[in-house]
Amino acid sequence: MQKILNYINGEYVEPISKKWLDNYNPSNGEVYSQIANSNAEDIENAYQAAKVAFPKWSNTTIDERSRILLKIADLIDEKLVELAEAEAKDNGKPLSLALAVDIPRASANFRFFGNAITQFSSEAHESVGLNTMNFTLRQPLGVVGCISPWNLPLYLFTWKIAPAIAAGNTVVAKPSEVTPMTAFLLGEICSEAGLPKGVLNIVHGTGPSAGQAIVEHKNIKAISFTGGTKTGEHIARTAAPMFKKLSLELGGKNPNLIFADCNYEKMLEVTVRSSFANQGQICLCGSRIFVEKPIYKKFKKDFVEKVKQLKIGNPFDAETNIGALVSKSHLEKVESYIKIAEKEGGKILFGGNRVTVKDFENGYYLEPTIIEVSDDQCRVNQEEIFGPVVTIMPFETEEEALQMANSVKYGLSSTLWTSDLNRTMRISKKIEAGIVWVNTWLNRDLRTPFGGMKDSGVGREGGFEALRFFTEAKNVCIRYEG
Ligand code: NDP
């Protein structure tokens, strides 16, 4: 059976313990590879390789770093089909989605930061009258840790690694043990692109073992983490006494506010996607849908009709809209929320059941599920489910919509459907979310700041924000005789 090895110092190596974890294919529930079950010793080896690589890499010219990142991007593009197939098999997502979104975005991440680093600059401040000139040195931090989740595996893994190495850091990175395959394949791509050994080290294993060892490592200077809010809390608690720099991209429970004056057809089409793309396992999915009363009944009927047409099936089938959920335990967690909804008096308008796919009977398939709720404070409306489950509820006034949108502990993204510019501005200013999409969803310009408010995280990724995170700003103040 294929072994998913660690990539340390430019070489694929077994975990020191020689222990392995099973890697499941969610589309059929079968174990299809073995993952290195790494621990603190493997992390130490990765750290040592990164430490040795740092002085040279941090002094490598910007042009050279950029050239290597762009080469990695090109190689990812060349291997699009192989990587997309690996992602679909490992994660359960439709191959069509991996081909159109996940893998192109992974190459875009390297291309974007390969270019961005050539444009990154720092400030200068002349203290007029004092004969001093200040400039800001932006230096790489050293060895940094990158930890990513399973929902957009290569997409989010590279979103951290690319700016980290572009800025001159060296990296110890851990993908989720639930979806390690494309991170494993990235190692050979980096070697082929000429990334010097030790600049990127990829260690596989569980969060509590390999992940925790990265966070606890006293010489790993910063942690860029994407994952659940509870894990983020734990990481913050562990890292804070060591004063590590932290970027935490955490959970969400995003509102989708639909006003009667919107472009109805466009809204309906996009709302189906923003609810159920990637089986609803995108931190940016709009899982709480609030609809203005005059169009509520119509929306309810049309939305259910559209969702009924989605085809659930084998991720490799070109017709499939909804693939398998990522794991059995995640499927059970999502199902438990459907039961909670029923107990709380929610009305299941569609879905709620497992689906048996012919020849893939042991896969983790669930119907897209629409629940009508009458109280926005119920648990299914407050807690992150992270699956193909949305709630819908009517509202009467803009104030009420805004109040419900903000009445959660999360604040990652939001979607607003309206043709009223004044309303757009009013709501955009008041809504508690790191992103406000107006009449669109998941439209991403990589130069923009990305991140959440409240329990959805701390810090911003994207554009120069990411390069700032991965560098230390140093003020140099020069006095001259005038
Ligand atoms: P987890 O928090 O469970 O895991 C995320 C990563 O952290 C995994 O690699 C995991 O390893 C690792 N990890 C777990 N425990 C520790 C620890 N003690 N120390 C260090 N690392 C640890 O999240 P999921 O993988 O379940 O991902 C889903 C969550 O991610 C959702 O809440 C979703 O909203 C959020 N997310 C947020 C995004 C954002 O941009 N804000 C984007 C995408 C997802 P392992 O899995 O191997 O145990």
Side-chain angles (χ1 to χ4, degrees):
M1 193 172 288
Q2 184 178 5
K3 287 195 161 149
I4 294 183
L5 302 165
N6 292 331
Y7 176 75
I8 298 178
N9 209 24
E11 308 270 330
Y12 281 113
V13 292
E14 296 203 344
I16 292 167
S17 69
K18 305 277 185 244
K19 289 191 178 147
W20 303 88
L21 300 159
D22 288 337
N23 190 25
Y24 289 83
N25 173 347
S27 76
N28 59 15
E30 283 169 16
V31 174
Y32 80 103
S33 54
Q34 298 281 300
I35 313 162
N37 187 356
S38 312
N39 59 29
E41 285 185 282
D42 302 284
I43 296 296
E44 184 56 32
N45 283 352
Y47 166 74
Q48 290 301 336
K51 183 182 163 194
V52 170
F54 179 72
K56 191 156 180 222
W57 181 246
S58 56
N59 271 309
T60 298
T61 63
I62 300 288
D63 279 355
E64 177 64 0
R65 279 189 236 154
S66 170
R67 191 189 63 75
I68 293 173
L69 265 80
L70 298 180
K71 178 76 183 158
I72 296 173
D74 289 345
L75 290 172
I76 292 175
D77 285 341
E78 276 174 33
K79 294 174 198 274
L80 169 68
V81 175
E82 180 197 340
L83 289 166
E85 286 177 354
E87 203 72 294
K89 186 169 179 180
D90 213 27
N91 173 279
K93 67 178 68 212
L95 175 60
S96 56
L97 188 70
L99 281 168
V101 176
D102 291 75
I103 308 306
R105 175 57 190 275
S107 77
N109 289 338
F110 279 106
R111 192 164 289 114
F112 176 81
F113 284 109
N115 288 320
I117 195 63
T118 67
Q119 304 300 312
F120 189 46
S121 58
S122 58
E123 317 81 43
H125 301 91
E126 184 186 1
S127 308
V128 177
L130 297 177
N131 283 6
T132 54
M133 174 57 100
N134 294 273
F135 68 90
T136 307
L137 262 185
R138 285 236 160 231
Q139 295 173 296
L141 303 172
V143 180
V144 299
C146 297
I147 302 175
S148 59
W150 48 256
N151 63 325
L152 300 166
L154 193 62
Y155 173 137
L156 289 174
F157 195 56
T158 54
W159 181 231
K160 300 179 175 305
I161 289 167
I165 62 178
N169 301 282
T170 55
V171 174
V172 177
K174 191 196 91 67
S176 171
E177 118 229 6
V178 184
T179 53
M181 187 56 89
T182 47
F184 166 67
L185 298 173
L186 181 66
E188 72 185 48
I189 291 175
C190 290
S191 294
E192 200 181 330
L195 188 71
K197 60 184 191 176
V199 172
L200 171 62
N201 304 277
I202 303 170
V203 184
H204 299 277
T206 67
S209 174
Q212 182 73 16
I214 295 175
V215 179
E216 278 177 357
H217 199 291
K218 62 182 190 320
N219 294 320
I220 293 183
K221 306 280 187 215
I223 304 291
S224 174
F225 169 81
T226 299
T229 295
K230 273 263 157 293
T231 317
E233 245 178 74
H234 174 78
I235 287 176
R237 219 176 290 121
T238 310
M242 291 177 269
F243 306 108
K244 286 185 196 231
K245 246 182 151 178
L246 285 180
S247 169
L248 303 173
E249 300 297 335
L250 310 177
K253 190 75 185 173
N254 310 311
N256 182 358
L257 305 184
I258 300 171
F259 286 85
D261 64 7
C262 70
N263 175 337
Y264 187 84
E265 289 309 318
K266 184 75 190 156
M267 173 280 294
L268 192 62
E269 175 211 321
V270 176
T271 296
V272 173
R273 260 192 319 117
S274 68
S275 302
F276 300 116
N278 205 37
Q279 298 71 248
Q281 302 166 142
I282 302 182
C283 52
L284 306 165
C285 277
S287 52
R288 296 181 294 143
I289 304 175
F290 299 107
V291 187
E292 202 174 12
K293 208 145 190 190
I295 58 164
Y296 183 70
K297 261 195 182 155
K298 177 171 165 53
F299 173 80
K300 190 162 116 176
K301 181 170 159 291
D302 294 346
F303 187 52
V304 168
E305 273 315 305
K306 278 239 178 226
V307 171
K308 266 186 193 165
Q309 288 160 24
L310 295 175
K311 188 165 177 296
I312 306 154
N314 162 21
F316 282 79
D317 182 342
E319 304 285 290
T320 293
N321 303 115
I322 298 196
L325 270 69
V326 76
S327 66
K328 185 158 180 280
S329 61
H330 190 58
L331 170 68
E332 287 165 358
K333 177 194 152 188
V334 175
E335 285 180 315
S336 76
Y337 272 102
I338 297 171
K339 290 204 180 78
I340 290 170
E342 281 170 325
K343 268 201 208 121
E344 286 181 321
K347 187 171 166 202
I348 314 273
L349 299 176
F350 181 72
N353 303 302
R354 281 195 196 193
V355 178
T356 306
V357 174
K358 191 167 171 301
D359 300 330
F360 293 82
E361 284 78 7
N362 294 322
Y364 316 132
Y365 301 95
L366 185 69
E367 288 174 331
T369 303
I370 307 167
I371 305 171
E372 184 176 45
V373 295
S374 54
D375 175 8
D376 77 296
Q377 291 303 303
C378 62
R379 280 185 66 191
V380 279
N381 235 43
Q382 290 291 313
E383 297 174 21
E384 186 184 42
I385 302 175
F386 212 56
V389 178
V390 293
T391 61
I392 70 168
M393 202 181 150
F395 67 83
E396 292 200 37
T397 63
E398 186 179 308
E399 292 68 33
E400 186 194 1
L402 193 58
Q403 191 267 332
M404 292 197 292
N406 287 343
S407 292
V408 278
K409 65 177 188 171
Y410 297 106
L412 189 54
S413 71
S414 56
T415 309
L416 172 60
W417 290 96
T418 181
S419 56
D420 182 335
L421 178 61
N422 295 324
R423 175 169 20 237
T424 298
M425 288 309 299
R426 282 194 300 272
I427 293 186
S428 299
K429 283 184 169 190
K430 289 186 187 150
I431 204 156
E432 294 164 358
I435 301 176
V436 189
W437 275 302
V438 184
N439 302 326
T440 184
W441 177 72
L442 208 62
N443 214 319
R444 293 277 298 119
D445 181 324
L446 301 188
R447 292 169 300 180
T448 60
F450 176 87
M453 296 169 67
K454 304 197 285 192
D455 285 18
S456 290
V458 181
R460 292 293 180 270
E461 297 185 323
F464 291 150
E465 296 282 344
L467 295 175
R468 284 189 198 106
F469 173 76
F470 283 115
T471 50
E472 190 79 50
K474 189 184 282 175
N475 168 224
V476 180
C477 176
I478 305 172
R479 186 168 191 287
Y480 57 91
E481 300 301 330

